[in-house]
Amino acid sequence: MNVGSEKQYGGLDRFGIIAAILVIAIHTFPLLSISEWADFTLRQTIARVAVPFFFMCTGFFFMQKLGSDRNRNASMLKQLLWKVGKLYLLSILLYFPVNVYEGYFTDGFTLLTAVKDLLFNGTLYHLWYFPGIMLGVCINTFLYTRLSTWNAFWVTLLLYGIGLLGDSYFGLVHFTLVTVLSFVLSVLAMKAIQRFRGGKPDQTGRAWADIHLPHLQHNVREIQQVLPKDCAMMAVVKAQAYGHGGWQIARFLNKLGIDHFAVATIDEGIELRKKGVKGEILVLGYTDERRIRQIARFKLTQTVVDDEYAQTLNGYNVKIPVHIKIDTGMGRLGESWEYTEKIAAMYRYKHLQVCGTFTHLSVADSLEASDIAYTKNQIDRFQNVIEQLKEKGINPQKLHVQSSYGVLNYGELQYDYARMGIALYGMLSKQGDKVKTSIDLRPVLSLKARVVQVKQVEKGAPVGYGRAHTAQKDSKIAIVSIGYADGVPRMLSQVGATCLIRGKRRPIIGFVCMDQLIVDISDIEEVQRGEVVTFIGRDQEEEITAEEMAQSCKTITNELVSRLGERVKRVYHD
Ligand SMILES: *Cc1c(COP(=O)(O)O)cnc(C)c1O
């Protein structure tokens, strides 16, 4: 699912197309037949800003990945250099015939001229931008991470000056013109980016989810406070981070120093990697063994669910990191705790590098005595398996057992990771759930849509599909642009649920439709087309929590938020 974030850079795409056309113009002399002056203005001045623009984009996307961790920066730089370097090499090969045709490598051929031609003359003439990017990114990474902004500015100016001295071809005025134009366009591009990125409320949105990142950060800190000292958070970002946007949330958590993630499927893992998420990514679900090469390529960690699967994976001769899953009473994925021999076998495959062992609790959310007993039994079974493995001389590596409720109700447990899902997003699964260690969780997501039409209906008039609602008196209704395809359950209107308009609760009436729903607004004076309607979140003094909405439709918040549709635009607020 694309949660609409590529669109955040929509402005860049448009500039990109314009810049590409300008680059073509540089090489095709389109205005020369009209006048030399027009040709010069287009080709040597306007079109020349295309190149700085492309370089700026490279810098923009690369620099924002840099953080305070030097090793990480270095490894990212290496990755980019390697990627661009590979393209460069490929392009050199591609251009080789052209260069030969133009006389390079043939006239007075010696080894020295061949190397010179390959690295500089013919090749560099056509492909200068590849080494340009590589050198530029190195210089910029250095400036950006080692110097203050002002010092970086002075050094840049100096480099500009040196460039100017070295280039007699450009006149000073001409140079200044291109520079100023580049600058103006880059400012415009930046403005476009800012417009397309979160922050400012969008006046045109139909249905959207505001994602409040400071609350996510707050929840991370709150959870970290109650985790044992040596226990790291493994952020569960499956199902698009419970509807919050998978890679956006993971990248933000990366910045907070979180470097363990869990997803449900290999494709979710691949998406995170493609978007530059760092750290361990554990695929909790089953992956078809034929995709093992992708597991390796994208450096994912696969859950091994039983010995047969382990054997099959191992048969591919591809080395991958894995975690071993033990079923201790959940009755879902994992090798059953009773089969210790089979479990032990899973650690002995040459190509499976076991990095962890885990289990999942099925009633950690309940504080009923019998459920507590069941959970303790699950934990005992897990410990038992671990002991037996150790007796056999097997190292089970990192251990993890708890998810959100496991941490909140069994905080005394000492494991290496805690797999945090729902709590990270500032919710409990059910309204009014009691937990042993309650922490201050702040909801990250709010769900909103707009009034798109207001109308009067007479007493006795049916409203919506199936005439499910009949106006009890002359009333005013608002049609709102969100429906069950966006994740608002169809039966919400049948259980007396409300939404917020102008800080007041308003009943949802009729059945929720696929794309719209209807709200009774009889006793509010003026409601205008375009007004914001809140389904989850706060409006003035009133608040509807995800827990409340989930309770209304007899489900849990996990289901509610993970089913928010693709059409619901996620808007990120720093
Ligand atoms: C989804 C999931 C979690 C996260 O659970 P929360 O209750 O949302 O914290 C942890 N472990 C496994 C195996 C899961 O599937």
Side-chain angles (χ1 to χ4, degrees):
M1 185 174 76
N2 165 15
V3 286
S5 295
E6 269 93 353
K7 289 194 199 107
Q8 288 175 2
Y9 305 116
L12 280 190
D13 288 343
R14 259 168 266 158
F15 273 101
I17 291 170
I18 296 170
I21 292 171
L22 290 178
V23 169
I24 298 172
I26 293 177
H27 296 90
T28 53
F29 305 80
L31 297 186
L32 193 57
S33 58
I34 298 172
S35 87
E36 264 189 38
W37 178 84
D39 177 64
F40 182 82
T41 308
L42 176 67
R43 289 199 320 115
Q44 301 288 36
T45 305
I46 297 175
R48 292 285 158 181
V49 305
V51 171
F53 167 79
F54 281 124
F55 280 158
M56 205 190 72
C57 286
T58 307
F60 172 74
F61 286 109
F62 182 71
M63 294 303 157
Q64 64 178 345
K65 286 189 191 170
L66 294 177
S68 55
D69 179 347
R70 278 196 184 180
N71 289 335
R72 215 185 120 210
N73 291 345
S75 90
M76 245 163 357
L77 181 63
K78 234 168 50 197
Q79 234 175 39
L80 186 92
L81 291 179
W82 178 228
K83 225 160 133 183
V84 178
K86 270 193 293 192
L87 280 175
Y88 185 34
L89 271 174
L90 259 172
S91 309
I92 287 179
L93 291 178
L94 218 72
Y95 268 85
F96 193 67
V98 178
N99 288 330
V100 170
Y101 174 78
E102 288 193 348
Y104 296 108
F105 303 110
T106 45
D107 302 343
F109 184 88
T110 68
L111 194 63
L112 192 69
T113 61
V115 170
K116 240 173 83 183
D117 285 348
L118 191 66
L119 292 184
F120 298 103
N121 300 341
T123 310
L124 202 63
Y125 176 73
H126 293 295
L127 301 170
W128 60 272
Y129 39 90
F130 284 118
I133 285 176
M134 292 161 80
L135 183 65
V137 165
C138 288
I139 294 175
N140 275 319
T141 304
F142 176 80
L143 295 179
Y144 185 79
T145 56
R146 302 289 168 90
L147 301 184
S148 70
T149 312
W150 275 112
N151 283 345
F153 175 75
W154 297 123
V155 174
T156 316
L157 212 63
L158 188 73
L159 289 175
Y160 247 123
I162 294 171
L164 185 60
L165 287 177
D167 200 343
S168 53
Y169 169 68
F170 274 53
L172 187 60
V173 177
H174 186 192
F175 169 85
T176 314
L177 243 167
V178 175
T179 309
V180 169
L181 252 176
S182 303
F183 179 76
V184 169
L185 279 193
S186 48
V187 170
L188 283 178
M190 279 301 168
K191 285 240 152 99
I193 289 163
Q194 274 160 11
R195 243 196 73 198
F196 282 95
R197 293 182 97 178
K200 271 191 208 155
D202 178 4
Q203 302 292 314
T204 64
R206 166 192 168 270
W208 69 97
D210 284 320
I211 308 294
H212 204 57
L213 294 171
H215 283 186
L216 181 61
Q217 179 165 9
H218 168 88
N219 297 335
V220 167
R221 300 291 175 240
E222 281 288 306
I223 293 164
Q224 281 171 338
Q225 295 252 318
V226 299
L227 289 182
K229 193 165 77 19
D230 295 323
C231 178
M233 179 180 325
M234 179 184 278
V236 182
V237 292
K238 61 191 179 189
Q240 293 298 332
Y242 293 46
H244 293 60
W247 65 266
Q248 293 90 338
I249 295 297
R251 283 267 297 269
F252 182 76
L253 292 172
N254 258 171
K255 279 195 219 154
L256 301 183
I258 302 235
D259 51 8
H260 297 280
F261 296 93
V263 293
T265 72
I266 180 175
D267 290 313
E268 290 176 345
I270 292 174
E271 189 190 9
L272 294 191
R273 280 290 186 244
K274 285 191 169 166
K275 298 291 187 183
V277 173
K278 302 290 164 196
E280 184 185 37
I281 300 177
L282 173 63
V283 179
L284 295 170
Y286 176 84
T287 301
D288 190 296
E289 68 271 5
R290 286 165 292 187
R291 300 188 69 181
I292 190 167
R293 281 184 188 81
Q294 283 183 303
I295 298 175
R297 170 141 50 97
F298 291 99
K299 299 197 164 54
L300 304 175
T301 305
Q302 176 59 42
T303 294
V304 175
V305 301
D306 55 32
D307 185 38
E308 191 191 335
Y309 182 54
Q311 205 171 341
T312 314
L313 284 177
N314 188 57
Y316 279 82
N317 290 343
V318 178
K319 198 169 175 83
I320 55 165
V322 300
H323 282 209
I324 305 288
K325 176 102 188 248
I326 318 278
D327 181 4
T328 54
M330 168 79 185
R332 208 175 61 179
L333 273 189
E335 184 66 79
S336 180
W337 61 280
E338 293 158 287
Y339 304 133
T340 35
E341 285 308 319
K342 278 190 176 173
I343 293 172
M346 293 156 81
Y347 293 81
R348 295 187 178 126
Y349 292 103
K350 197 168 129 219
H351 300 294
L352 304 184
Q353 185 199 353
V354 179
C355 306
T357 303
F358 71 107
T359 190
H360 195 47
L361 304 173
S362 62
V363 279
D365 56 328
S366 165
L367 293 179
E368 296 253 338
S370 62
D371 289 332
I372 291 176
Y374 192 84
T375 302
K376 295 219 153 127
N377 197 19
Q378 273 197 280
I379 296 162
D380 286 345
R381 288 168 174 173
F382 185 69
Q383 276 316 117
N384 215 307
V385 169
I386 299 303
E387 293 310 318
Q388 294 199 36
L389 287 172
K390 285 184 177 163
E391 272 168 31
K392 292 181 203 294
I394 295 168
N395 183 352
Q397 303 294 345
K398 303 287 186 189
L399 305 179
H400 46 113
V401 171
Q402 302 137 287
S403 52
S404 296
Y405 280 93
V407 167
L408 299 178
N409 284 332
Y410 299 87
E412 70 281 3
L413 295 177
Q414 282 276 353
Y415 289 112
D416 298 297
Y417 306 134
R419 303 184 303 269
M420 300 304 287
I422 196 72
L424 198 52
Y425 308 104
M427 293 171 270
L428 292 179
S429 291
K430 287 190 251 72
Q431 185 158 41
D433 260 347
K434 290 273 166 291
V435 289
K436 271 204 165 145
T437 315
S438 60
I439 54 178
D440 174 37
L441 294 175
R442 297 185 185 163
V444 175
L445 177 144
S446 36
L447 179 64
K448 295 175 181 173
R450 260 180 228 289
V451 172
V452 292
Q453 195 175 25
V454 175
K455 59 171 63 161
Q456 297 291 147
V457 288
E458 282 175 13
K459 179 177 178 198
V463 174
Y465 280 123
R467 298 191 294 181
H469 175 87
T470 308
Q472 297 303 307
K473 54 180 171 54
D474 288 355
S475 342
K476 195 155 63 163
I477 60 172
I479 321 302
V480 179
S481 54
I482 193 168
Y484 60 74
D486 302 298
V488 177
R490 180 166 180 271
M491 46 89 75
L492 197 60
S493 51
Q494 306 300 298
V495 291
T498 56
C499 56
L500 306 178
I501 301 179
R502 298 196 168 195
K504 292 237 161 59
R505 284 179 180 261
R506 299 283 114 228
I508 302 168
I509 57 175
F511 276 111
V512 171
C513 311
M514 190 184 283
D515 323 299
Q516 300 156 67
L517 54 80
I518 305 157
V519 180
D520 188 337
I521 50 166
S522 294
D523 47 355
I524 329 185
E525 265 314 297
E526 274 173 72
V527 170
Q528 311 276 338
R529 195 198 303 272
E531 277 194 42
V532 175
V533 186
T534 302
F535 291 85
I536 298 173
R538 174 173 286 282
D539 182 3
Q540 297 171 32
E541 298 307 305
E542 273 289 355
E543 182 177 16
I544 296 175
T545 60
E547 284 92 337
E548 178 189 335
M549 188 165 163
Q551 165 125 324
S552 302
C553 2
K554 298 193 170 52
T555 181
I556 54 175
T557 55
N558 311 46
E559 180 183 359
L560 200 64
V561 288
S562 67
R563 294 182 69 168
L564 290 179
E566 267 194 72
R567 300 190 305 199
V568 177
K569 189 175 171 189
R570 273 65 167 180
V571 184
Y572 296 87
H573 303 270
D574 305 314

